[in-house]
Structure formats: structure tokens, C-alpha cells
Amino acid sequence: MAKSVLVTGGAHRLGALICRQFAQAGWAVWCHYQQSAEVAKALCDELCQQGWQARSVQADLSDEAQRQRMMDEIVSQAGPLHCLVNNASSFDPDSADKLNINAARTQLDVNLLAPLSLSSLMAQSLPAHSPAGARSIIHVLDQKVFNLNPDYFSYTVSKLALERSVALQAQALSPRLRVCGVAPGLIYLSGPQSQANFDRACQVNLMRQATEPLQVAASCLFLAENPCITGVTLAVDNGQHLVPLPRDVMFVVEDLLKAAQ
């Protein structure tokens, strides 16, 4: 029987690439979506037509009952997961001085509490004597956790907390589960960013070139298949986390573009 993986936010962008990487490596993929039913189904149909295994599953990750229902559905149909990739994120701008508590709570629910909850539900579903190192949880983070600036305040706080949980969960859930993080750099247009801004911002790193999203997805698969790695976060960002900036790179580049006009 193929190993199984649940990828949250699997219908679009990086999530879809992660689904493809795992499926093409022979894993049975569960592609989670909240509202993108048609896109998720199309991705799974495409993978199945290529001879791989993929099914879509819906849940609002901010709702504990729906998280529980989703995990119960997966376990009842395919048994306990071998890997959980917490990729889904809420990424909305805010600041420390003008904090909207309701909006901040939404980001904390999706970016922090949902991954922790799904991790716990996965652990509870495992057999008592699961082989050490065979199953894993991977949290998709952000290079911002190593390269602080105050923009996107609630998002950053949620990812910082999730990054700190990597080691704590690795300790708490061993030996049945390994826990790792992947921290990408800028790989897609985000928020109000223009293409011109992205083209310049994605090269603000030590390698002075864009980070390929496919390499981020491949890193998730690598961590899932290496039984000796746990409790660490891998930065996949061409060294962006080693280039400190006073603000988010998008805003720094925007100021430079305006100055050049």
C-alpha cells in the first residue's frame, strides 16, 4: 500500500506543486481545499490520469469540527497518514499599532492552531507501536521567521510560533512522528505586489536569483522521506533570510522603484 500524505491548501500554487511531487514519488495524496473544489478535483483527476493516486478533501481549517471530520474521513478510507504537510496559510497585512483582533485571530487560527490541531489528530490516529521515523509532519513557514521585520504583523507572529513548535512537537511526538519545517523565500506574487516589484524582490537574496517553487516542494518530499531528520527547519530561499531589511522586501523594492521614476 502506498504511503499517504495530506497537503493542506493543496489546490493552488505551492500546495499543488507539493501534491504533484508526492504523487509522482508514489505517495497517495489527499489534496485539501476550502473553497477551490473544482481546482482541487481537476488536479487530482490529472494526477490519477497519469497513473498516480490523489483525492481531494474539503474543510475550513479554522473550524475544529471540520478538521476532525476531515481527518476521520481520511483515516476511515485509507488508514492513518504517513505525512501531514501544513501548507495552507492566511496572509493578510496588518501592523502592531493598528491591530484588528478579529483579523489577527483568523490568521492565528489558520496559520498556527490548525497545524497544531491537525498534528495532534494525526498523532492520536496512529497505532501504538508505529515504526520510529516512518511518519512525519512538515510545517511550511516563511524565511521571515529568521529575518524579522514588523510588516504583516499577525502573519509573522503566527509563523514564529509555528516555527518554535517544530522542536517542541518533535520532542513530544517522538518516536512515532518526526516534525520538520520548510521556510521558503519569496516564490510567488503576494498581496498587492506588481510583477515588476516581484521580479526585483525575488532576487534580493545571497544567490541574486529567484527561488524555484519546485525546489521548495521537493524539499518537503525530501524531509518526508528521510527518517533521520526531525526538529529542524530548512530554509529554501537562496539565502534571503541572511539579507536583513527594515521592512518586508515588497515595500523596500516599491520605495526603490518609486525613487527611480
mmCIF file of all heavy atoms in Angstrom, residues 166-167 169-171 174 177-180 223 226-232:
data_model
loop_
_atom_site.group_PDB
_atom_site.id
_atom_site.type_symbol
_atom_site.label_atom_id
_atom_site.label_comp_id
_atom_site.label_asym_id
_atom_site.label_seq_id
_atom_site.Cartn_x
_atom_site.Cartn_y
_atom_site.Cartn_z
ATOM 1 N N VAL A 166 8.096 23.464 16.089
ATOM 2 C CA VAL A 166 8.733 22.349 15.388
ATOM 3 C C VAL A 166 9.542 21.500 16.363
ATOM 4 O O VAL A 166 9.386 20.274 16.440
ATOM 5 C CB VAL A 166 9.609 22.849 14.223
ATOM 6 C CG1 VAL A 166 10.498 21.727 13.679
ATOM 7 C CG2 VAL A 166 8.746 23.413 13.097
ATOM 8 N N ALA A 167 10.418 22.145 17.130
ATOM 9 C CA ALA A 167 11.242 21.391 18.076
ATOM 10 C C ALA A 167 10.404 20.804 19.203
ATOM 11 O O ALA A 167 10.621 19.655 19.628
ATOM 12 C CB ALA A 167 12.333 22.297 18.640
ATOM 13 N N GLN A 169 7.202 19.924 19.184
ATOM 14 C CA GLN A 169 6.428 18.778 18.705
ATOM 15 C C GLN A 169 7.331 17.583 18.427
ATOM 16 O O GLN A 169 6.955 16.442 18.689
ATOM 17 C CB GLN A 169 5.667 19.147 17.437
ATOM 18 C CG GLN A 169 4.451 20.017 17.664
ATOM 19 C CD GLN A 169 3.677 20.210 16.369
ATOM 20 O OE1 GLN A 169 4.238 20.557 15.338
ATOM 21 N NE2 GLN A 169 2.383 19.982 16.417
ATOM 22 N N ALA A 170 8.525 17.849 17.894
ATOM 23 C CA ALA A 170 9.456 16.748 17.631
ATOM 24 C C ALA A 170 9.772 16.004 18.924
ATOM 25 O O ALA A 170 9.856 14.767 18.947
ATOM 26 C CB ALA A 170 10.736 17.282 16.989
ATOM 27 N N GLN A 171 9.943 16.752 20.004
ATOM 28 C CA GLN A 171 10.204 16.124 21.295
ATOM 29 C C GLN A 171 8.970 15.389 21.814
ATOM 30 O O GLN A 171 9.059 14.256 22.304
ATOM 31 C CB GLN A 171 10.627 17.192 22.313
ATOM 32 C CG GLN A 171 11.975 17.828 22.017
ATOM 33 C CD GLN A 171 12.249 19.031 22.903
ATOM 34 O OE1 GLN A 171 11.353 19.817 23.204
ATOM 35 N NE2 GLN A 171 13.499 19.181 23.320
ATOM 36 N N SER A 174 7.776 12.203 19.356
ATOM 37 C CA SER A 174 8.715 11.125 19.029
ATOM 38 C C SER A 174 8.413 9.895 19.895
ATOM 39 O O SER A 174 7.845 10.022 20.990
ATOM 40 C CB SER A 174 10.144 11.599 19.289
ATOM 41 O OG SER A 174 10.335 11.853 20.693
ATOM 42 N N LEU A 177 6.432 10.081 15.440
ATOM 43 C CA LEU A 177 6.328 11.135 14.442
ATOM 44 C C LEU A 177 7.569 12.018 14.448
ATOM 45 O O LEU A 177 8.053 12.403 15.517
ATOM 46 C CB LEU A 177 5.100 12.016 14.723
ATOM 47 C CG LEU A 177 3.750 11.524 14.210
ATOM 48 C CD1 LEU A 177 2.626 12.367 14.797
ATOM 49 C CD2 LEU A 177 3.702 11.571 12.691
ATOM 50 N N ARG A 178 8.055 12.329 13.257
ATOM 51 C CA ARG A 178 9.069 13.365 13.088
ATOM 52 C C ARG A 178 8.371 14.674 12.731
ATOM 53 O O ARG A 178 7.321 14.663 12.089
ATOM 54 C CB ARG A 178 10.048 12.996 11.969
ATOM 55 C CG ARG A 178 10.850 11.741 12.244
ATOM 56 C CD ARG A 178 11.803 11.405 11.110
ATOM 57 N NE ARG A 178 11.108 11.100 9.864
ATOM 58 C CZ ARG A 178 11.076 11.875 8.794
ATOM 59 N NH1 ARG A 178 11.705 13.052 8.787
ATOM 60 N NH2 ARG A 178 10.429 11.501 7.703
ATOM 61 N N VAL A 179 8.956 15.795 13.125
ATOM 62 C CA VAL A 179 8.371 17.099 12.815
ATOM 63 C C VAL A 179 9.462 18.004 12.274
ATOM 64 O O VAL A 179 10.516 18.170 12.911
ATOM 65 C CB VAL A 179 7.718 17.743 14.054
ATOM 66 C CG1 VAL A 179 7.032 19.051 13.668
ATOM 67 C CG2 VAL A 179 6.710 16.788 14.701
ATOM 68 N N CYS A 180 9.218 18.599 11.112
ATOM 69 C CA CYS A 180 10.190 19.482 10.468
ATOM 70 C C CYS A 180 9.477 20.712 9.910
ATOM 71 O O CYS A 180 8.254 20.732 9.760
ATOM 72 C CB CYS A 180 10.921 18.765 9.336
ATOM 73 S SG CYS A 180 11.894 17.332 9.862
ATOM 74 N N LEU A 223 12.242 15.801 3.178
ATOM 75 C CA LEU A 223 12.098 15.675 4.625
ATOM 76 C C LEU A 223 11.155 14.536 4.988
ATOM 77 O O LEU A 223 11.376 13.823 5.976
ATOM 78 C CB LEU A 223 11.599 16.989 5.224
ATOM 79 C CG LEU A 223 12.595 18.149 5.200
ATOM 80 C CD1 LEU A 223 11.928 19.436 5.670
ATOM 81 C CD2 LEU A 223 13.821 17.838 6.063
ATOM 82 N N ASN A 226 13.177 11.192 4.560
ATOM 83 C CA ASN A 226 14.431 10.976 5.289
ATOM 84 C C ASN A 226 14.108 10.690 6.751
ATOM 85 O O ASN A 226 13.744 11.598 7.498
ATOM 86 C CB ASN A 226 15.331 12.198 5.167
ATOM 87 C CG ASN A 226 16.742 11.921 5.694
ATOM 88 O OD1 ASN A 226 16.912 11.285 6.729
ATOM 89 N ND2 ASN A 226 17.736 12.399 4.977
ATOM 90 N N PRO A 227 14.247 9.457 7.209
ATOM 91 C CA PRO A 227 13.807 9.083 8.553
ATOM 92 C C PRO A 227 14.707 9.590 9.675
ATOM 93 O O PRO A 227 14.370 9.413 10.848
ATOM 94 C CB PRO A 227 13.823 7.550 8.503
ATOM 95 C CG PRO A 227 14.890 7.223 7.507
ATOM 96 C CD PRO A 227 14.782 8.296 6.462
ATOM 97 N N CYS A 228 15.818 10.235 9.325
ATOM 98 C CA CYS A 228 16.770 10.670 10.342
ATOM 99 C C CYS A 228 16.664 12.151 10.694
ATOM 100 O O CYS A 228 17.419 12.634 11.544
ATOM 101 C CB CYS A 228 18.203 10.386 9.877
ATOM 102 S SG CYS A 228 18.556 8.628 9.649
ATOM 103 N N ILE A 229 15.740 12.882 10.057
ATOM 104 C CA ILE A 229 15.667 14.324 10.281
ATOM 105 C C ILE A 229 14.400 14.659 11.055
ATOM 106 O O ILE A 229 13.296 14.330 10.633
ATOM 107 C CB ILE A 229 15.681 15.095 8.949
ATOM 108 C CG1 ILE A 229 16.938 14.774 8.149
ATOM 109 C CG2 ILE A 229 15.600 16.604 9.208
ATOM 110 C CD1 ILE A 229 17.004 15.439 6.796
ATOM 111 N N THR A 230 14.570 15.354 12.175
ATOM 112 C CA THR A 230 13.418 15.832 12.941
ATOM 113 C C THR A 230 13.828 17.033 13.786
ATOM 114 O O THR A 230 15.004 17.189 14.145
ATOM 115 C CB THR A 230 12.835 14.721 13.835
ATOM 116 O OG1 THR A 230 11.575 15.150 14.369
ATOM 117 C CG2 THR A 230 13.761 14.377 14.989
ATOM 118 N N GLY A 231 12.858 17.897 14.059
ATOM 119 C CA GLY A 231 13.084 19.027 14.952
ATOM 120 C C GLY A 231 13.817 20.199 14.343
ATOM 121 O O GLY A 231 14.279 21.080 15.076
ATOM 122 N N VAL A 232 13.926 20.239 13.008
ATOM 123 C CA VAL A 232 14.672 21.310 12.352
ATOM 124 C C VAL A 232 13.820 21.969 11.274
ATOM 125 O O VAL A 232 12.869 21.376 10.759
ATOM 126 C CB VAL A 232 15.985 20.797 11.713
ATOM 127 C CG1 VAL A 232 16.907 20.198 12.749
ATOM 128 C CG2 VAL A 232 15.690 19.767 10.619
#
